[in-house]
């Protein structure tokens, strides 16, 4: 987020950079802990901060993927174009999450690990999920037609899209600022632990 303003930084950007450095300095032992799991499940959480940038009104997409309950990939990125609706920006985020799940499936196949089950994708927007499952093309969804067809194709025996409430949306931490309590709760659910914290 801060790097967007490298060519014309202001005092507020410097203060934001100091906050990031302060957090990092105060968390030298924090990292993702991988735990052994008997279930080899692939799942992803996708979210979007629709039109969240006050500079250009672009949305920020985020996803985090889990393999066997362990966080393996994550990303938060501003979308390339301005979305005309929140559903459009959600479809872009879902498409990125599905692509990441498919990439992980290919990696598993390259490692000779056979994956037969459905991959799960969690989204906090019920309208987006309903449109993804609806085979009827509607006039109001024509501007998202390619993403909608891509997602619909992957829903046929490969991906299962489920609703997750905003309070349980783990990708939130990648798309928008959180208050301290919620931030620590989410990163704990992502598998981050501090090796220096007392047991």
């Amino acid at each position: 987020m801060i790097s967007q303003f490298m060519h014309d930084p202001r005092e507020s950007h410097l203060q934001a950079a100091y906050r990031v450095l302060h957090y990092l300095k105060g968390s030298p032992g924090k990292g993702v802990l991988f735990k052994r799991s008997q279930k080899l499940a692939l799942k992803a959480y996708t979210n979007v901060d629709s039109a969240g940038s006050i500079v250009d009104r672009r949305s920020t997409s985020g996803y985090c993927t889990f393999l066997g309950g362990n966080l393996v990939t994550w990303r938060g990125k501003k979308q390339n174009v301005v979305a005309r609706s929140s559903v459009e920006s959600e479809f872009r985020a879902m498409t990125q999450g599905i692509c990441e799940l498919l990439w992980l499936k290919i990696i598993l196949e390259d490692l000779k690990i056979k994956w037969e089950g459905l991959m799960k994708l969690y989204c906090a927007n019920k309208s987006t999920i309903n449109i993804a499952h609806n085979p009827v093309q509607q006039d109001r969804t024509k501007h998202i037609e390619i993403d909608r067809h891509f997602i619909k194709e992957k829903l046929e025996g490969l991906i299962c899209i489920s609703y997750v409430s905003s309070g349980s949306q783990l990708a939130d931490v990648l798309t928008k600022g959180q208050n301290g309590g919620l931030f620590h709760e989410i990163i704990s659910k992502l598998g981050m632990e501090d090796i220096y914290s007392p047991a």
Side-chain angles (χ1 to χ4, degrees):
M1 190 73 164
I2 299 168
S3 67
Q4 296 176 73
F5 305 99
M6 283 183 359
H7 302 295
D8 188 21
R10 309 274 185 215
E11 180 65 27
S12 59
H13 306 126
L14 180 62
Q15 294 306 318
Y18 283 150
R19 286 188 67 189
V20 170
L21 292 173
H22 183 263
Y23 171 77
L24 293 173
K25 186 176 182 187
S27 311
K30 202 165 255 186
V32 178
L33 179 66
F34 291 96
K35 297 178 182 174
R36 186 182 180 122
S37 173
Q38 298 298 80
K39 293 183 179 178
L40 189 66
L42 266 174
K43 64 181 179 178
Y45 291 81
T46 63
N47 199 20
V48 70
D49 182 15
S50 188
S53 173
I54 58 172
V55 176
D56 56 12
R57 284 300 175 199
R58 290 187 184 176
S59 303
T60 302
S61 297
Y63 64 78
C64 51
T65 58
F66 293 81
L67 176 61
N70 294 300
L71 179 67
V72 289
T73 63
W74 59 92
R75 185 176 191 187
K77 185 178 188 240
K78 191 186 277 193
Q79 293 182 354
N80 295 332
V81 295
V82 177
R84 292 170 40 195
S85 68
S86 61
V87 172
E88 179 181 356
S89 56
E90 286 279 359
F91 265 105
R92 287 199 178 107
M94 285 176 71
T95 301
Q96 289 177 339
I98 288 173
C99 288
E100 191 71 8
L101 286 172
L102 295 172
W103 178 76
L104 287 171
K105 185 176 186 290
I106 290 168
I107 297 290
L108 289 174
E109 288 170 359
D110 287 348
L111 294 171
K112 307 293 186 229
I113 299 171
K114 192 156 183 150
W115 174 259
E116 294 295 335
L118 283 174
M119 295 177 278
K120 292 188 178 176
L121 183 79
Y122 294 96
C123 174
N125 188 310
K126 288 182 179 178
S127 296
T128 305
I129 295 170
N130 289 338
I131 293 171
H133 286 285
N134 185 357
V136 178
Q137 176 66 37
Q138 301 168 347
D139 285 341
R140 65 175 195 235
T141 62
K142 281 185 178 173
H143 59 290
I144 53 174
E145 185 177 353
I146 294 171
D147 285 337
R148 191 182 69 80
H149 281 289
F150 172 78
I151 292 168
K152 180 70 178 135
E153 179 183 282
K154 302 307 175 199
L155 286 175
E156 296 169 4
L158 195 58
I159 305 276
C160 170
I161 299 176
S162 300
Y163 173 76
V164 63
S165 67
S166 295
S168 301
Q169 178 51 273
L170 302 183
D172 255 1
V173 77
L174 301 169
T175 59
K176 46 186 110 69
Q178 306 292 333
N179 68 44
L182 184 58
F183 173 78
H184 290 294
E185 182 183 331
I186 290 174
I187 63 170
S188 174
K189 288 179 181 176
L190 289 174
M192 288 190 74
E193 294 192 16
D194 191 342
I195 59 171
Y196 298 129
S197 68

